[in-house]
Amino acid sequence: MFYKTIREKSAETGAVSHDLLARAGFVDQLMAGVYTFLPLGFRVLKKIENIIRKNMEAVGGQEMLMPALNPKENWQKTGRWETLDILFKLKGAGDRDYALAPTHEEVISPLAKKIILSYKDLPIYVFHIQNKFRNELRAKSGILRTREFMMKDLYSFHATQEDLDSYYAKVAKIYKKIFNECGIGKNTHETLASGGSFSKYSHEYQTVTDAGEDIIFICKKCGFAINKEIAGDKKECPNCGVTEYEEKKAVEVGNIFKLGTKYSLPFDLKFRDKDGKEKPVILGCYGIGLGRLIGAVVEVNNDEKGIIWPKQVAPFDIHLISVGESIKVRRAAEKIYKDLSRPRFANESRRGSPTKPGQKKDVDVLYDDRSDKSIGEKFAEADLLGIPHRVVVSEKTLAKNSVEVKERAKSVVKLVKIKLLQKFLISNP
Ligand SMILES: [Zn+2]
């Protein structure tokens, strides 16, 4: 395993997520605001990516990939070459100017112009998951605010405002599902934000944490959340009319936005409607920052010993630990490792032949077979890494044909017969 853990908390006073992810060997800081995802962190990133991908496909999203390196001309067309202060500008060969994209309206809009011609081509939904760049003056709070970051952005194209409105509501609903699946649903508030020049409102998804740089206001009566900008001119809760708010620090993990014709106009993105008239295409955009999401997950799922990964996004399902040097223990642990890691079929017939596809149950096992670490060190590291189940094999447990199983989030240790282990883990996922 390509990683190194650091036991001591860092002296820096920063985000808990940054401290834990760096100490546990999930990420490594190359420079301020730029991170490497090590194998452990990369596994989490892939899990989150897959949750997002599955849900984007569920709302009709087609995945593609747009480049980060953009020509200056596209950004001049929308005026953002001059106005967007965080835009990364590069000078290339032949004195040509380029931007490193922080968002992709300047790429998707001229692209859509080549494909969308008629109302028959609408609506359409495309997304990509890709690295973006922000030329931040200061980068802080670890992976919560970075200069290079992975993001999912979905773009929707519509013939009418009504169609955008109904799709927007659909995405808002699936966003809640995504954050639930990532284990931060309870702490994440759909927050009313201003909509800019083309729409009255947009929505941010704000995860409450002290490491957050945003402030949100949550209605004490109905739980409706609004951001600072909106709270500035709203004395009463837009939902229930009550005027008492709870003020919370939060980090924005996602946002959804009705762009309207803001980007279709500069790129002349039009379609021919049923009545034969040319009309501008109406756009929506929907973002989620993956690194930030991981940071937010860790901010709300940890204790003094380390990370407590929600099962759906954990890098591994099981942290298998062998205790001591004995051959017997080593052999038993290796057998358990192989048996658990082997793809299995939930509904094997008696003859042992796999039944229907899609019933495979993989279990990802991290096996700590190091002989130069004490049991105390291995346990401390298991707590720091935060894998949902710890399974321990020792002389003592083998004497009872068993292993010790402990959930990271709980303190109780259970003795489970080895032959019942698979069943136990499936019924206690
Ligand atoms: Zn209210």
Side-chain angles (χ1 to χ4, degrees):
M1 177 69 80
F2 185 60
Y3 82 126
K4 188 79 151 181
T5 57
I6 303 159
R7 213 188 249 195
E8 300 78 29
K9 283 194 175 126
S10 77
E12 281 175 58
T13 51
V16 176
S17 55
H18 172 54
D19 183 61
L20 288 175
L21 287 165
R23 280 171 51 217
F26 285 77
V27 300
D28 176 72
Q29 185 175 308
L30 176 64
M31 58 178 172
V34 180
Y35 287 85
T36 297
F37 281 86
L38 277 75
L40 277 170
F42 189 68
R43 291 181 79 99
V44 177
L45 191 68
K46 287 288 148 190
K47 292 247 172 122
I48 286 185
E49 206 181 291
N50 286 335
I51 289 172
I52 294 172
R53 178 174 290 117
K54 180 189 75 186
N55 284 294
M56 287 299 99
E57 287 172 352
V59 290
Q62 301 174 45
E63 189 169 12
M64 57 190 277
L65 182 61
M66 289 180 271
L69 192 62
N70 290 185
K72 176 185 183 181
E73 293 70 29
N74 291 40
W75 289 83
Q76 280 176 317
K77 268 201 178 145
T78 58
R80 293 208 279 188
W81 180 264
E82 301 300 335
T83 58
L84 197 59
D85 57 347
I86 53 85
L87 187 64
F88 244 113
K89 296 170 182 175
L90 304 182
K91 191 67 91 177
D95 218 26
R96 274 192 287 270
D97 288 310
Y98 301 91
L100 283 178
T103 176
H104 276 77
E105 287 83 4
E106 275 80 354
V107 178
I108 193 76
S109 306
L111 169 62
K113 185 180 164 55
K114 297 176 192 168
I115 296 167
I116 298 168
L117 304 170
S118 138
Y119 70 94
K120 288 175 192 161
D121 299 321
L122 295 168
I124 202 100
Y125 322 114
V126 287
F127 73 100
H128 74 161
I129 300 171
Q130 171 255 21
N131 269 20
K132 300 199 186 305
F133 298 84
R134 287 177 67 92
N135 198 0
E136 301 275 3
L137 195 58
R138 298 169 305 126
K140 52 178 189 174
S141 303
I143 67 166
L144 295 175
R145 180 173 286 280
T146 56
R147 294 191 165 101
E148 179 178 349
F149 53 98
M150 188 159 289
M151 211 169 147
K152 182 282 300 175
D153 34 345
L154 166 73
Y155 297 92
S156 68
F157 300 87
H158 309 268
T160 64
Q161 183 68 37
E162 295 69 46
D163 195 51
L164 167 62
D165 291 347
S166 87
Y167 188 70
Y168 184 91
K170 209 169 164 182
V171 176
K173 204 171 155 195
I174 209 100
Y175 263 41
K176 285 184 189 165
K177 187 165 171 270
I178 290 171
F179 299 126
N180 272 332
E181 285 183 30
C182 292
I184 55 169
K186 272 185 226 152
N187 314 70
T188 304
H189 297 262
E190 185 182 80
T191 305
L192 196 67
S194 89
S197 50
F198 281 82
S199 174
K200 209 166 169 192
Y201 297 117
S202 67
H203 290 89
E204 297 168 351
Y205 292 80
Q206 296 273 9
T207 307
V208 169
T209 159
D210 281 338
E213 291 182 337
D214 291 349
I215 304 274
I216 62 166
F217 298 81
I218 304 165
C219 174
K220 279 192 176 172
K221 191 181 174 209
C222 75
F224 194 88
I226 58 179
N227 79 356
K228 210 174 175 177
E229 218 179 343
I230 293 281
D233 48 56
K234 284 249 181 300
K235 298 275 177 292
E236 292 162 359
C237 168
N239 190 45
C240 74
V242 164
T243 53
E244 272 188 276
Y245 293 107
E246 210 178 344
E247 203 177 314
K248 295 269 190 195
K249 280 185 168 178
V251 59
E252 185 185 339
V253 289
N255 58 44
I256 58 175
F257 217 93
K258 292 176 190 175
L259 297 170
T261 56
K262 186 175 180 180
Y263 295 97
S264 42
L265 293 177
F267 291 103
D268 198 33
L269 170 57
K270 290 179 186 156
F271 70 101
R272 195 168 291 281
D273 209 349
K274 284 175 194 157
D275 55 15
K277 283 185 185 146
E278 277 205 325
K279 293 173 185 169
V281 176
I282 296 167
L283 273 72
C285 75
Y286 317 84
I288 294 179
L290 277 77
R292 261 197 195 186
L293 183 49
I294 293 175
V297 168
V298 175
E299 286 292 333
V300 300
N301 296 286
N302 69 77
D303 63 12
E304 68 288 349
K305 291 175 182 165
I307 303 168
I308 306 172
W309 289 110
K311 275 141 198 161
Q312 309 89 306
V313 301
F316 290 92
D317 304 304
I318 289 154
H319 196 141
L320 177 66
I321 292 174
S322 61
V323 175
E325 285 290 289
S326 101
I327 297 283
K328 195 181 158 199
V329 169
R330 183 165 287 265
R331 278 197 188 134
E334 269 165 26
K335 184 166 186 326
I336 289 167
Y337 176 60
K338 280 179 190 150
D339 287 349
L340 288 179
S341 305
R342 194 184 59 208
R344 295 193 313 278
F345 298 88
N347 201 12
E348 273 176 6
S349 76
R350 289 219 175 134
R351 284 176 196 147
S353 64
T355 51
K356 294 167 195 154
Q359 290 181 324
K360 195 174 78 163
K361 280 241 172 193
D362 276 314
V363 179
D364 289 330
V365 186
L366 176 64
Y367 175 26
D368 186 351
D369 65 343
R370 292 173 300 179
S371 52
D372 60 337
K373 299 283 174 200
S374 73
I375 183 64
E377 285 173 305
K378 286 186 176 188
F379 280 11
E381 193 172 288
D383 284 339
L384 180 61
L385 263 54
I387 292 162
H389 285 99
R390 189 184 77 190
V391 173
V392 177
V393 189
S394 69
E395 293 269 13
K396 205 176 81 189
T397 67
L398 287 182
K400 292 180 181 167
N401 295 317
S402 299
V403 290
E404 267 181 19
V405 181
K406 182 187 165 298
E407 280 183 51
R408 173 63 182 88
K410 295 177 183 166
S411 53
V412 55
V413 177
K414 287 180 186 158
L415 208 58
V416 177
K417 295 273 182 225
I418 291 171
K419 62 179 179 190
L420 300 176
L421 181 59
Q422 288 196 359
K423 218 177 231 174
F424 177 85
L425 293 168
I426 288 167
S427 54
N428 299 273

